[in-house]
Amino acid sequence: MQRYQIKSSFQIRLTTRCVPAILIGLVFTSSAVAATLPVGPGKTYASPCKAFAVAKSGDVVEITGNTTYSGDVCGIAASNLTIRGVNGRPKINANGKNAMGKGIWVVSGNNVTVDNVEMYGAKVADKNGAALRLEGTGFTLRNAFLHDNENGILTGVNTASNILIEYSEFGHNGYGDGYSHNLYIGNVGSLTFRYNYSHDANVGHNLKSRARVNTIVYNRFSSGVTGSTAIGKPSYEIDLPNAGTSYVIGNVIQQPASHSNPTMLAYGEEGASNPGKDLYVVNNTFLNDDSSRGTFVQIGSGVTTAALLQNNIFGGTGTLTTQTSAVQKTNYRSVSPGFVNRSAWDLRPLANTLVTNAGSVPGSSSAGVSLKPVAQYKHTAAGMARPVLGAFDIGAYEAQ
């Protein structure tokens, strides 16, 4: 499956001709120090935690895939560490154990990357066990599947930390008391959440983030469909309880008929304590399958900045937004919007002059960030370029 990645202007290729000789020497020296630590049957390290225990900054831990590592729980102290599954996806089963009373892997190292793992079964005494408990500064997760834990990811407060989560699936996490979630991101500097599939949280939210800046783009939030996990009854699809500058662009956001709270996107509901209080909801497809109640965008009374709601499809019944001052621009509201194949989740809009070529060109945020969607979600947990021909279509997908 081809994945679509957006390269920023900061991703610049360097050649040795433009690097001073002394720096070349430093680069080569640093590279020579880093090691690759192989994990798995017949490898140097029998389990991931044995490799983590000896890993140094910059090392790569390669975990043999298509293998289950039961009860392999521990802390990860090394910084600048890359952990990745190879030759298939390894499964990390807590199997009744936990590290430090917190979860499966407790990451205290900085700038750690975890790639291509499946993790499940995290349970602890305080009902807040996490597959990944983040305590360091800076973290990246990609190509992962976190399910059936009390929390998929749980972080503390660290406003210096920037977290990137992409191309990953989260399903049926949560103890069932509403205080644990598929993901629970604390008050960090920023969260970038893109090309993910988060579904069927067990009473909790499919995504909860207290980050100061949230970039939530090209994801699918949906539940109640038989698939990779048990069916859950989530509360909010997205909860941003302390506000923060937040970009919600190009997502599919669906509320199932059976749920634990009728709100789909909540913003500033626990007090708008983050510095930014600007919310941009652009080119999303909202679907409410509860035929009697629902709120698409609920905004707390402490948020005085008008939210921008532009180019969204709001399908189903319910209140569009609780903020009377919200700027609503070229949205489409219908109890039953037309899609190519709703039951198969092909949510490209059918020909409709109120949807196709009916969107307006999004501008920029107050910080100068472009609000224009450049991609669209592709199942499962992937993305592709948004094929805009002519004017923008309304919703998360172009009709073409």
Side-chain angles (χ1 to χ4, degrees):
M1 180 180 294
Q2 185 177 5
R3 287 178 173 161
Y4 178 75
Q5 295 179 313
I6 305 167
K7 293 187 177 180
S8 73
S9 58
F10 297 103
Q11 293 175 288
I12 302 172
R13 294 184 178 179
L14 299 178
T15 66
T16 54
R17 286 181 293 178
C18 63
V19 181
I22 187 170
L23 294 182
I24 294 173
L26 290 173
V27 170
F28 289 158
T29 301
S30 175
S31 299
V33 172
T36 297
L37 311 181
V39 173
K43 303 294 184 180
T44 306
Y45 303 95
S47 70
C49 286
K50 291 185 182 300
F52 300 155
V54 299
K56 301 293 191 295
S57 179
D59 284 353
V60 177
V61 177
E62 292 192 337
I63 307 171
T64 299
N66 298 319
T67 302
T68 299
Y69 302 86
S70 291
D72 197 53
V73 300
C74 59
I76 300 174
S79 294
N80 306 307
L81 194 66
T82 298
I83 302 163
R84 63 187 178 216
V86 295
N87 300 318
R89 178 180 282 170
K91 297 183 178 183
I92 315 299
N93 179 4
N95 197 29
K97 297 183 179 180
N98 68 78
M100 301 168 235
K102 297 179 179 180
I104 299 178
W105 291 348
V106 181
V107 183
S108 59
N110 301 327
N111 302 317
V112 171
T113 296
V114 176
D115 187 356
N116 190 34
V117 298
E118 179 177 347
M119 304 179 72
Y120 55 96
K123 297 179 180 180
V124 301
D126 66 3
K127 305 174 184 177
N128 219 16
L132 290 165
R133 179 72 174 262
L134 307 184
E135 299 183 346
T137 299
F139 179 79
T140 296
L141 178 73
R142 58 172 60 99
N143 304 312
F145 180 24
L146 274 53
H147 62 94
D148 296 290
N149 305 282
E150 290 173 338
N151 288 284
I153 293 179
L154 177 62
T155 85
V157 176
N158 184 348
T159 57
S161 185
N162 299 307
I163 296 174
L164 169 62
I165 300 170
E166 59 185 3
Y167 304 117
S168 295
E169 180 179 355
F170 302 84
H172 208 253
N173 299 287
Y175 177 78
D177 56 4
Y179 296 104
S180 48
H181 314 281
N182 269 355
L183 301 99
Y184 191 167
I185 308 300
N187 189 213
V188 299
S190 71
L191 168 68
T192 299
F193 191 79
R194 62 190 183 190
Y195 313 120
N196 300 297
Y197 177 36
S198 186
H199 61 97
D200 293 291
N202 185 22
V203 180
H205 308 318
N206 280 331
L207 171 62
K208 180 167 186 169
S209 174
R210 300 183 187 273
R212 294 190 169 196
V213 177
N214 296 283
T215 302
I216 302 169
V217 293
Y218 320 122
N219 306 284
R220 173 175 159 181
F221 300 91
S222 69
S223 301
V225 180
T226 302
S228 55
T229 70
I231 291 175
K233 292 178 63 176
S235 295
Y236 303 151
E237 302 305 314
I238 303 172
D239 183 24
L240 309 175
N242 299 130
T245 297
S246 298
Y247 306 95
V248 181
I249 301 173
N251 302 280
V252 173
I253 304 172
Q254 175 254 355
Q255 177 167 255
S258 180
H259 54 76
S260 298
N261 192 296
T263 293
M264 301 173 68
L265 167 59
Y267 182 78
E269 281 295 300
E270 295 181 27
S273 56
N274 276 327
K277 296 170 178 60
D278 45 331
L279 171 65
Y280 307 93
V281 182
V282 179
N283 277 101
N284 302 281
T285 294
F286 286 83
L287 300 172
N288 182 18
D289 289 339
D290 184 333
S291 60
S292 62
R293 60 180 182 150
T295 301
F296 292 98
V297 182
Q298 182 166 304
I299 300 176
S301 60
V303 178
T304 55
T305 303
L308 174 65
L309 280 58
Q310 182 174 359
N311 291 352
N312 302 284
I313 291 176
F314 294 102
T317 62
T319 301
L320 196 152
T321 181
T322 57
Q323 188 186 56
T324 57
S325 62
V327 176
Q328 301 182 41
K329 190 175 182 180
T330 54
N331 298 296
Y332 177 68
R333 181 78 184 272
S334 172
V335 173
S336 300
F339 300 109
V340 171
N341 191 337
R342 168 72 171 83
S343 62
W345 288 91
D346 187 343
L347 299 181
R348 290 173 296 161
L350 292 175
N352 180 344
T353 57
L354 298 178
V355 176
T356 54
N357 296 323
S360 52
V361 177
S364 298
S365 70
S366 60
V369 175
S370 173
L371 303 176
K372 178 181 177 181
V374 296
Q376 54 193 32
Y377 175 82
K378 183 177 181 180
H379 207 53
T380 303
M384 60 181 290
R386 184 176 177 121
V388 178
L389 299 176
F392 270 98
D393 293 343
I394 294 174
Y397 293 94
E398 289 290 309
Q400 291 83 9

